[in-house]
Amino acid sequence: MIGKGSALLATLLGCLSVSAVQGAERAHAVTTAAIQSQTPQPSDESRAGSVARRKATRVRPAASVSPPVTQGYWGGIRAHMTVEGGIAANPWTKSGRNFGQFFLDRANTATLNQVLASVSHDNAAIGGGYGIGFTAEAMYGSDSRFDVTVGMGDRALSGMYQWAPTQAHIDLHTPWIFSRGIDFQIGQSYGLMGSEGPAALSRPFYSYNYSSDFIVPFQTVGIIATAHIGAHVDGLVGIDAGNSTTFGQSGNNNRPKGYLGISFSHLMDGRLDGHLIGRAGPQGHDGDPRISPEGWVSAGIGDQAVHRMQYNADLLLTYHASKALVFTFASTWLHDEIPDDDLYGSTAYLAYSLSPSVQLNLRGEVFRDNTGVMIAAYPGTTSFGKQLRNQPYPFYAAPPTTYGDLTLGLHYEPEFINRHLPLGRFVLRPEIRVDRSLNGTRPFNREAPASDPIVRNGDTTMFWFSCDMVWTF
């Protein structure tokens, strides 16, 4: 996200300053491939236990290109669609919200999360060792409230259900430098970091871990180069306009941001996949702060935004112990110079296939927010987009908190339904989750006003249970 820690701290300080003045007078993506869409496709690789391998695959586009199809280039176009809906039940909330979640923030509400549709073409040979492909993808649903990219239709709708383009890139394979060449992805892409992605089946659970939800980029617009250094190792470098922003008036500032990293797949006899990726750049908004009549403050910090850096680092490792058992470890760190804040979290996953149609998934995470301004709630349906555009927006956050969460879920593909579907397949994912403050703060199940947007009188624990249904074809 576009300097969420910086934005929230600036907003929080602004809110506190406004409160004082008014008293006298009156606060999230191993990677996107340079070639293929993240849209889940109806194959075994979409299963929950394979999510990290799918992410490793996304960062390792094929070094060779497909031969031209006999019916011409346009005959190779593919279309995919995913429909996801569900409910996140929390009977104990007093705010109607699940704190610590962007996409599943609405408690006890049946939700159409996403209708995700894509049109794509794999890299196809065009001669001389070159290849070209493309991906165009868009989302409609409640998830689009947080998957926006400023300047790309982000204000077309303003209700609970919105529209957002999620991918729009040209993919170019070149025979340059390395024997397997270099691939370039030019345009809008999913962020390269995090263990859980926005597309429904790019994560093993309905809910998100804190790291993937809050401190890694969702969308970037720019160029990503994937250098195929060896058969199992790729180098990554990218430059872009910023997290969830584009250029000019739709940007956060005029300085570039970018990635540098390495990914690997099928090491240790094909059992180990992963990546190590860093990201750096100024993510603050260079506009001046604005104040709404209600006392909410925007995220802008003025000219100093171009001098205050934000740094990310992301490690992902997946080990396939057997065909049935998969272990994944993910660790993410962020430092933001605006609030001088460090945030870090580690997540462990276990996936075990009980049968061809049932997979058991377990996730445990510990995440630290040193200032309390990163993990926040955005009550309005346009709050997140307003933050990106430097408009006043409602939010509430927590004191500095160490979060722990434990999630148990199933990935179930009911054969009695799927054998009757005319196309695609149906997936059901129930889960039970408990979130807890490990340092005694009380951030859950309550909200806070503009005059003091910090939750101090909530619960130390949030117990909730969720289920989504996914149809992909």
PDB file of all heavy atoms in Angstrom, residues 166-177:
ATOM      1  N   THR A 166      -7.042  -4.891 -12.321  1.00  0.00           N
ATOM      2  CA  THR A 166      -6.014  -5.498 -11.477  1.00  0.00           C
ATOM      3  C   THR A 166      -4.743  -5.863 -12.242  1.00  0.00           C
ATOM      4  O   THR A 166      -3.676  -5.938 -11.640  1.00  0.00           O
ATOM      5  CB  THR A 166      -6.566  -6.764 -10.795  1.00  0.00           C
ATOM      6  OG1 THR A 166      -7.144  -7.624 -11.776  1.00  0.00           O
ATOM      7  CG2 THR A 166      -7.629  -6.393  -9.762  1.00  0.00           C
ATOM      8  N   GLN A 167      -4.853  -6.106 -13.524  1.00  0.00           N
ATOM      9  CA  GLN A 167      -3.676  -6.345 -14.358  1.00  0.00           C
ATOM     10  C   GLN A 167      -3.930  -5.785 -15.756  1.00  0.00           C
ATOM     11  O   GLN A 167      -5.019  -5.942 -16.303  1.00  0.00           O
ATOM     12  CB  GLN A 167      -3.349  -7.832 -14.484  1.00  0.00           C
ATOM     13  CG  GLN A 167      -2.923  -8.507 -13.203  1.00  0.00           C
ATOM     14  CD  GLN A 167      -2.361  -9.897 -13.469  1.00  0.00           C
ATOM     15  OE1 GLN A 167      -1.179 -10.069 -13.702  1.00  0.00           O
ATOM     16  NE2 GLN A 167      -3.220 -10.901 -13.424  1.00  0.00           N
ATOM     17  N   ALA A 168      -2.928  -5.155 -16.311  1.00  0.00           N
ATOM     18  CA  ALA A 168      -2.985  -4.667 -17.682  1.00  0.00           C
ATOM     19  C   ALA A 168      -1.546  -4.505 -18.153  1.00  0.00           C
ATOM     20  O   ALA A 168      -0.956  -3.433 -18.016  1.00  0.00           O
ATOM     21  CB  ALA A 168      -3.737  -3.338 -17.765  1.00  0.00           C
ATOM     22  N   HIS A 169      -0.968  -5.585 -18.665  1.00  0.00           N
ATOM     23  CA  HIS A 169       0.445  -5.524 -19.016  1.00  0.00           C
ATOM     24  C   HIS A 169       0.764  -6.280 -20.306  1.00  0.00           C
ATOM     25  O   HIS A 169       0.099  -7.245 -20.676  1.00  0.00           O
ATOM     26  CB  HIS A 169       1.327  -6.044 -17.877  1.00  0.00           C
ATOM     27  CG  HIS A 169       0.953  -7.383 -17.331  1.00  0.00           C
ATOM     28  ND1 HIS A 169       1.289  -8.562 -17.950  1.00  0.00           N
ATOM     29  CD2 HIS A 169       0.273  -7.727 -16.207  1.00  0.00           C
ATOM     30  CE1 HIS A 169       0.843  -9.581 -17.230  1.00  0.00           C
ATOM     31  NE2 HIS A 169       0.215  -9.100 -16.163  1.00  0.00           N
ATOM     32  N   ILE A 170       1.775  -5.779 -20.984  1.00  0.00           N
ATOM     33  CA  ILE A 170       2.362  -6.439 -22.145  1.00  0.00           C
ATOM     34  C   ILE A 170       3.573  -7.230 -21.660  1.00  0.00           C
ATOM     35  O   ILE A 170       4.369  -6.737 -20.857  1.00  0.00           O
ATOM     36  CB  ILE A 170       2.805  -5.410 -23.199  1.00  0.00           C
ATOM     37  CG1 ILE A 170       1.595  -4.594 -23.690  1.00  0.00           C
ATOM     38  CG2 ILE A 170       3.496  -6.106 -24.369  1.00  0.00           C
ATOM     39  CD1 ILE A 170       0.554  -5.407 -24.418  1.00  0.00           C
ATOM     40  N   ASP A 171       3.726  -8.456 -22.140  1.00  0.00           N
ATOM     41  CA  ASP A 171       4.812  -9.337 -21.720  1.00  0.00           C
ATOM     42  C   ASP A 171       5.727  -9.613 -22.915  1.00  0.00           C
ATOM     43  O   ASP A 171       5.272 -10.081 -23.953  1.00  0.00           O
ATOM     44  CB  ASP A 171       4.251 -10.648 -21.178  1.00  0.00           C
ATOM     45  CG  ASP A 171       3.196 -10.412 -20.116  1.00  0.00           C
ATOM     46  OD1 ASP A 171       3.441  -9.574 -19.239  1.00  0.00           O
ATOM     47  OD2 ASP A 171       2.131 -11.057 -20.175  1.00  0.00           O
ATOM     48  N   LEU A 172       6.993  -9.308 -22.721  1.00  0.00           N
ATOM     49  CA  LEU A 172       7.962  -9.433 -23.814  1.00  0.00           C
ATOM     50  C   LEU A 172       9.088 -10.363 -23.403  1.00  0.00           C
ATOM     51  O   LEU A 172       9.727 -10.155 -22.360  1.00  0.00           O
ATOM     52  CB  LEU A 172       8.529  -8.060 -24.170  1.00  0.00           C
ATOM     53  CG  LEU A 172       9.616  -8.020 -25.262  1.00  0.00           C
ATOM     54  CD1 LEU A 172       9.037  -8.448 -26.605  1.00  0.00           C
ATOM     55  CD2 LEU A 172      10.218  -6.622 -25.343  1.00  0.00           C
ATOM     56  N   HIS A 173       9.336 -11.409 -24.203  1.00  0.00           N
ATOM     57  CA  HIS A 173      10.493 -12.285 -23.990  1.00  0.00           C
ATOM     58  C   HIS A 173      11.590 -11.878 -24.958  1.00  0.00           C
ATOM     59  O   HIS A 173      11.351 -11.671 -26.149  1.00  0.00           O
ATOM     60  CB  HIS A 173      10.125 -13.745 -24.227  1.00  0.00           C
ATOM     61  CG  HIS A 173      11.314 -14.660 -24.128  1.00  0.00           C
ATOM     62  ND1 HIS A 173      11.842 -15.060 -22.930  1.00  0.00           N
ATOM     63  CD2 HIS A 173      12.095 -15.220 -25.100  1.00  0.00           C
ATOM     64  CE1 HIS A 173      12.888 -15.837 -23.152  1.00  0.00           C
ATOM     65  NE2 HIS A 173      13.065 -15.945 -24.463  1.00  0.00           N
ATOM     66  N   THR A 174      12.803 -11.760 -24.417  1.00  0.00           N
ATOM     67  CA  THR A 174      13.957 -11.411 -25.249  1.00  0.00           C
ATOM     68  C   THR A 174      15.057 -12.462 -25.080  1.00  0.00           C
ATOM     69  O   THR A 174      15.150 -13.089 -24.025  1.00  0.00           O
ATOM     70  CB  THR A 174      14.529 -10.037 -24.854  1.00  0.00           C
ATOM     71  OG1 THR A 174      15.183 -10.141 -23.576  1.00  0.00           O
ATOM     72  CG2 THR A 174      13.416  -8.994 -24.769  1.00  0.00           C
ATOM     73  N   PRO A 175      15.897 -12.631 -26.081  1.00  0.00           N
ATOM     74  CA  PRO A 175      17.009 -13.596 -25.982  1.00  0.00           C
ATOM     75  C   PRO A 175      18.283 -12.957 -25.437  1.00  0.00           C
ATOM     76  O   PRO A 175      19.376 -13.459 -25.677  1.00  0.00           O
ATOM     77  CB  PRO A 175      17.191 -14.038 -27.438  1.00  0.00           C
ATOM     78  CG  PRO A 175      16.841 -12.812 -28.237  1.00  0.00           C
ATOM     79  CD  PRO A 175      15.736 -12.120 -27.460  1.00  0.00           C
ATOM     80  N   TRP A 176      18.167 -11.894 -24.684  1.00  0.00           N
ATOM     81  CA  TRP A 176      19.310 -11.078 -24.292  1.00  0.00           C
ATOM     82  C   TRP A 176      20.120 -11.698 -23.145  1.00  0.00           C
ATOM     83  O   TRP A 176      19.565 -12.281 -22.215  1.00  0.00           O
ATOM     84  CB  TRP A 176      18.847  -9.688 -23.885  1.00  0.00           C
ATOM     85  CG  TRP A 176      18.143  -8.940 -24.975  1.00  0.00           C
ATOM     86  CD1 TRP A 176      18.122  -9.239 -26.305  1.00  0.00           C
ATOM     87  CD2 TRP A 176      17.329  -7.772 -24.820  1.00  0.00           C
ATOM     88  NE1 TRP A 176      17.357  -8.337 -26.996  1.00  0.00           N
ATOM     89  CE2 TRP A 176      16.852  -7.417 -26.109  1.00  0.00           C
ATOM     90  CE3 TRP A 176      16.952  -6.997 -23.733  1.00  0.00           C
ATOM     91  CZ2 TRP A 176      16.031  -6.316 -26.324  1.00  0.00           C
ATOM     92  CZ3 TRP A 176      16.144  -5.895 -23.937  1.00  0.00           C
ATOM     93  CH2 TRP A 176      15.687  -5.561 -25.227  1.00  0.00           C
ATOM     94  N   ILE A 177      21.410 -11.521 -23.183  1.00  0.00           N
ATOM     95  CA  ILE A 177      22.404 -11.749 -22.130  1.00  0.00           C
ATOM     96  C   ILE A 177      22.490 -13.209 -21.681  1.00  0.00           C
ATOM     97  O   ILE A 177      23.537 -13.853 -21.797  1.00  0.00           O
ATOM     98  CB  ILE A 177      22.158 -10.830 -20.912  1.00  0.00           C
ATOM     99  CG1 ILE A 177      22.162  -9.365 -21.368  1.00  0.00           C
ATOM    100  CG2 ILE A 177      23.208 -11.081 -19.819  1.00  0.00           C
ATOM    101  CD1 ILE A 177      21.857  -8.375 -20.265  1.00  0.00           C
TER     102      ILE A 177
END
